[in-house]
């Protein structure tokens, strides 16, 4: 029997690049093919890192020095050290030493303390022990430097695992380094970090713009290194060991209690994302928790609609916390009123088909909690409905010219919901034509880009009991997702925090990010529907699919920020439970948290539906229909 071999992220990327070839791989990525984990042999590289005992002793020493405001004595001999001092989540001092310094720990701490003094509040008394006790310390201890191969940005990145590895550049006897927990909150990729270090060594910003092949010829050498990561989460507590800046969510943590906690936490996070001022901005834009600020004052109309719909799903969940649900009802009404009021700089919700579709669905979801007879809401509904209706030509049985193909799935669902509500003059057969056109015009390998909306539309059209017309393609797409889901058995221990993610992309970077969770809400609904998934919790297709679903839930939970990530955030209470773009990009789009909330609520419902089954055939396989 051939044993499964573990791959690091760097190994996975290297294999993909080597086997696919540059042009072929880029073409495959542009077409959106699912990229799976390729299991091939590789040579493991030993990471000679400081032991846990030595690391903990070093952390205690640094905390004592920072509390005292001075370095007294010396620490152990280390390859490299980065000490970060934070005040209320904000970095006020950082010191890094790389390259077998005699007292790297003490020197890095000394530099961090000196730099922190210039960035303290005006009323700060540095002599006060109570004041210094508010400081939190972060620490990274470096392993050996390992040369990086490659002459291009992508080739150099292949050997580096983001969030775990730092990079360094040597020129002659001089060495400069960027540690992983410096790169992660700054969203600095490998090429950016290396070019910045080159410019630093050359004392010339323009030098960092040269090609890497040219820099190698000029004498620059590039390295990567792994670190032990530690940080205080509370000024009064000990430093904790971290993995990619946080902690790994273990599979056995995923149960109904955690799903309820996820749903409550995600709902509260979305409530915190409302604009607090007088302007009608609704949800704020993508949050950067490192700075505590939103990239824009307001989210786009699609994000607004998804957020409203997700809160409505939470309100309807029987597992919702009553107090949070009451707050969500109030917020839903406010958010719709704010969406109907287009502020200066905002895009009109009816300006494009995708935005209009998202708003139409949100208005239908929110109807029970909206104030009646609000003229601005009626205008919003009419204009968005008109835009949705005009996006499809019944005569041609196809989408109108100029409609973005990425909007087809959302338009399909909006059309079905309008038909069910008796709005917009849409008949069920017209809505059905839109759904069939989406299936017909989309290559099977791209159908996942229309999840969850296309599947929701098809299931809603069928109603209760009748076969789902597109079940064959829905089940085939689920199979593709299952096949390309990262399994902990195929990953190195260092990359186990990626297990459950689905690796697919429309760009050139196959690393998993928040887009992995897009199909989660639909996969939960498909699992609960006996027309699409037969069996029970303990046997048959349902048991297998539940395992895949919970794996994706685990990865979703991994993307949610928690207290262990809060050491990097200015206002961790506002960031907690927000879904990050990836494990190495802390930004939080509203859309990501909205779909995660949909997924958590629907997964709870699916588990309960399975628990109520006493048997059943494999209806998902036997009852498949063509679209």
């Amino acid at each position: 029997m051939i044993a499964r071999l573990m791959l690091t992220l760097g190994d996975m990327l290297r294999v993909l690049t080597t086997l696919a070839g540059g042009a072929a791989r880029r073409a495959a990525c542009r077409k959106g093919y699912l990229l799976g984990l390729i299991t091939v042999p590789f040579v493991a590289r030993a990471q000679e890192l400081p032991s846990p005992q030595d690391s903990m002793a070093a952390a205690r020493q640094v905390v004592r020095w920072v509390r005292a405001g001075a370095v007294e004595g010396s620490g152990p001999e280390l390859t490299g050290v980065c000490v970060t001092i934070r005040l209320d989540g904000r970095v006020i001092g950082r010191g890094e030493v790389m390259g077998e310094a005699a007292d790297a720990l003490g020197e890095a701490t000394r530099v961090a303390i000196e730099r922190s003094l210039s960035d303290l509040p005006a009323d700060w008394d540095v002599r006060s022990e109570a004041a210094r006790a508010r400081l939190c310390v972060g620490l990274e201890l470096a392993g050996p430097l390992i040369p990086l191969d490659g002459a291009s940005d992508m080739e150099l990145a292949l050997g580096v695992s983001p969030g775990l590895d730092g990079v360094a550049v040597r020129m002659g006897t001089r060495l400069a380094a960027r540690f992983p927990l410096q790169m992660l909150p700054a969203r600095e990729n490998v090429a950016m970090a290396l070019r910045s270090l080159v410019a630093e060594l050359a004392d010339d910003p323009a030098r960092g713009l040269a090609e890497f092949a040219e820099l190698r010829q000029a004498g620059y050498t590039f390295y990567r290194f792994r670190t032990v990561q530690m940080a205080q989460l509370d000024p009064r507590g000990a430093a904790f060991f971290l993995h990619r800046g946080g902690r790994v969510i273990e599979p056995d943590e995923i149960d109904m209690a955690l799903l309820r906690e996820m749903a409550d936490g995600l709902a509260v996070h979305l409530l915190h994302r409302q604009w607090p001022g007088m302007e009608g901005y609704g949800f704020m834009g993508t949050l950067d928790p490192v700075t505590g600020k939103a990239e824009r004052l307001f989210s786009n109309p699609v994000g607004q609609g998804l957020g409203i719909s997700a809160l409505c799903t939470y309100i309807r969940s029987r597992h919702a916390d009553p107090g949070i649900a009451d707050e969500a009802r109030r917020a839903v009404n406010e958010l719709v009123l704010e969406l109907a009021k287009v502020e200066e700089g905002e895009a009109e919700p009816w300006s494009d088909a995708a935005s209009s579709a998202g708003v139409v669905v949100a208005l239908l979801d929110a109807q029970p909690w909206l104030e009646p007879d609000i003229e601005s809401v009626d205008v919003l509904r009419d204009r968005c409905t008109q835009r949705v209706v005009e996006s499809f030509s019944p005569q041609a049985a196809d989408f109108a010219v100029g409609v973005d193909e990425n909007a087809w799935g959302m338009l399909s669902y909006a059309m079905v919901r309008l038909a069910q509500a008796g709005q917009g003059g849409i008949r069920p057969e017209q809505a059905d034509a839109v759904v069939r056109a989406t299936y017909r015009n989309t290559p099977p390998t791209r159908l996942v880009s229309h999840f969850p909306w296309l599947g929701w539309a098809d299931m809603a059209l069928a109603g209760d009991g009748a076969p789902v017309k597109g079940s064959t393609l829905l089940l085939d797409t689920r199979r593709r997702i299952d096949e390309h889901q990262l399994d902990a058995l195929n990953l190195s221990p260092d990359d186990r925090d990626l297990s459950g993610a689905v690796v697919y992309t429309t760009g050139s970077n196959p690393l998993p990010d928040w887009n992995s969770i897009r199909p989660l809400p639909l996969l939960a609904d498909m699992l609960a529907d006996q027309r699409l998934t037969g069996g029970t919790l303990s046997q048959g297709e349902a048991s297998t699919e539940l395992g895949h679903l919970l794996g994706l839930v685990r990865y979703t939970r991994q993307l949610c920020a928690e207290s262990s990530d809060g050491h990097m955030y200015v206002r961790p209470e506002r960031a907690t439970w927000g879904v990050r773009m990836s494990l190495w990009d802390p930004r939080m789009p509203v859309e990501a948290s909205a779909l995660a909330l949909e997924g958590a609520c629907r997964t709870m419902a699916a588990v309960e539906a399975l628990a109520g089954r006493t048997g059943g055939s494999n209806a998902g396989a036997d009852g498949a229909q063509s679209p």
Side-chain angles (χ1 to χ4, degrees), residues 303-353:
Q304 303 277 359
L306 291 178
I308 292 169
S309 290
L311 288 175
C312 292
T313 297
Y314 176 78
I315 293 168
R316 291 188 175 95
S317 172
R318 75 180 197 87
H319 297 287
D321 178 273
I324 300 173
D326 285 343
E327 182 66 15
R329 291 185 188 94
R330 178 203 59 77
V332 162
N333 185 66
E334 286 185 0
L335 288 163
V336 169
L337 292 174
E338 291 168 343
L339 187 56
K341 180 183 179 182
V342 181
E343 297 282 1
E344 183 178 354
E346 282 190 301
E348 294 175 332
W350 51 86
S351 61
D352 63 80

Side-chain angles (χ1 to χ4, degrees), residues 196-538:
S196 176
L197 293 171
V198 167
E200 178 184 325
L201 289 174
D203 195 23
D204 178 9
R207 190 59 172 143
L209 301 177
E211 296 293 333
F212 284 113
E214 177 187 337
L215 292 171
R216 286 188 186 279
Q217 292 178 352
Y220 290 91
T221 307
F222 307 110
Y223 303 92
R224 70 173 180 88
F225 59 92
R226 187 63 53 94
T227 67
V228 174
Q229 302 174 2
M230 305 181 71
Q232 285 180 292
L233 308 182
D234 185 296
R236 297 161 296 183
F240 284 81
F241 287 99
L242 303 172
H243 185 88
R244 233 185 287 268
R247 75 176 183 95
V248 178
I249 305 299
E250 300 298 342
D252 60 8
E253 295 182 48
I254 308 302
D255 56 18
M256 286 294 283
L258 182 131
L259 283 166
R260 284 192 290 269
E261 184 184 10
M262 276 183 68
D264 292 343
L266 285 160
V268 170
H269 174 77
L270 285 175
L271 293 173
H272 285 166
R273 296 290 293 275
Q274 283 184 266
W275 173 253
M278 297 297 293
E279 298 84 357
Y281 290 147
F283 288 114
M284 291 181 283
T286 297
L287 173 67
D288 183 353
V290 175
T291 63
K293 299 178 181 178
E295 292 184 344
R296 298 186 67 194
L297 296 178
F298 41 80
S299 180
N300 59 48
V302 171
Q304 303 277 359
L306 291 178
I308 292 169
S309 290
L311 288 175
C312 292
T313 297
Y314 176 78
I315 293 168
R316 291 188 175 95
S317 172
R318 75 180 197 87
H319 297 287
D321 178 273
I324 300 173
D326 285 343
E327 182 66 15
R329 291 185 188 94
R330 178 203 59 77
V332 162
N333 185 66
E334 286 185 0
L335 288 163
V336 169
L337 292 174
E338 291 168 343
L339 187 56
K341 180 183 179 182
V342 181
E343 297 282 1
E344 183 178 354
E346 282 190 301
E348 294 175 332
W350 51 86
S351 61
D352 63 80
S355 297
S356 297
V359 171
V360 163
V361 172
L363 291 174
L364 290 168
D365 286 338
Q367 188 61 46
W369 304 290
L370 297 183
E371 297 178 30
D373 303 322
I374 302 296
E375 182 180 359
S376 61
V377 175
D378 292 338
V379 170
L380 174 68
R381 180 185 295 107
D382 292 344
R383 288 180 173 177
C384 289
T385 297
Q386 181 181 358
R387 188 60 183 260
V388 168
V389 172
E390 291 174 349
S391 69
F392 190 81
S393 169
Q395 294 77 21
D398 210 343
F399 292 96
V401 176
V403 173
D404 186 353
E405 65 180 68
N406 294 313
W408 293 348
M410 295 186 72
L411 284 168
S412 298
Y413 189 45
M415 285 282 200
V416 171
R417 293 292 301 275
L418 285 171
Q420 291 179 325
Q423 296 181 15
I426 301 298
R427 299 187 305 276
E429 57 269 26
Q430 290 176 284
D432 183 81
V434 180
V435 174
R436 299 317 132 205
T438 301
Y439 279 119
R440 184 176 64 250
N441 294 337
T442 307
T445 53
R446 289 276 297 163
L447 280 178
V448 69
S449 67
H450 297 309
F451 278 19
W453 304 282
L454 179 59
W456 283 346
D458 212 358
M459 293 168 70
L461 273 174
D464 295 331
V468 178
K469 286 186 178 180
S471 59
T472 297
L473 287 174
L474 291 177
L475 293 171
D476 185 58
T477 303
R478 183 172 69 180
R479 178 186 58 78
R480 291 174 185 272
I481 292 171
D482 291 349
E483 289 175 351
H484 296 89
Q485 186 175 36
L486 299 183
D487 187 334
L489 294 175
N490 298 113
L491 294 168
S492 77
D494 283 340
D495 291 330
R496 68 190 189 280
D497 54 345
L498 300 175
S499 69
V502 181
V503 184
Y504 50 79
T505 180
T506 54
S508 59
N509 184 3
L511 296 179
D513 58 18
W514 82 269
N515 287 290
S516 284
I517 73 175
R518 284 181 180 271
L520 175 62
L522 176 61
L523 294 176
D525 288 347
M526 290 175 65
L527 178 62
D529 194 324
Q530 282 192 286
R531 295 170 299 180
L532 299 172
T533 311
T536 66
L537 277 173
S538 59

Side-chain angles (χ1 to χ4, degrees), residues 509-588:
N509 184 3
L511 296 179
D513 58 18
W514 82 269
N515 287 290
S516 284
I517 73 175
R518 284 181 180 271
L520 175 62
L522 176 61
L523 294 176
D525 288 347
M526 290 175 65
L527 178 62
D529 194 324
Q530 282 192 286
R531 295 170 299 180
L532 299 172
T533 311
T536 66
L537 277 173
S538 59
Q539 64 182 11
E541 186 181 24
S543 176
T544 301
E545 292 304 330
L546 178 61
H548 285 293
L549 182 69
L550 294 182
L552 189 50
V553 169
R554 192 223 68 83
Y555 177 66
T556 304
R557 175 63 185 86
Q558 188 76 60
L559 287 176
C560 294
E562 62 171 17
S563 58
S564 62
D565 310 293
H567 65 97
M568 295 184 288
Y569 303 155
V570 169
R571 299 185 67 187
E573 74 282 358
R574 293 285 179 174
T576 300
W577 287 106
V579 176
R580 296 167 287 174
M581 282 192 167
S582 71
L583 297 183
W584 39 85
D585 186 340
R587 291 175 297 171
M588 300 173 177

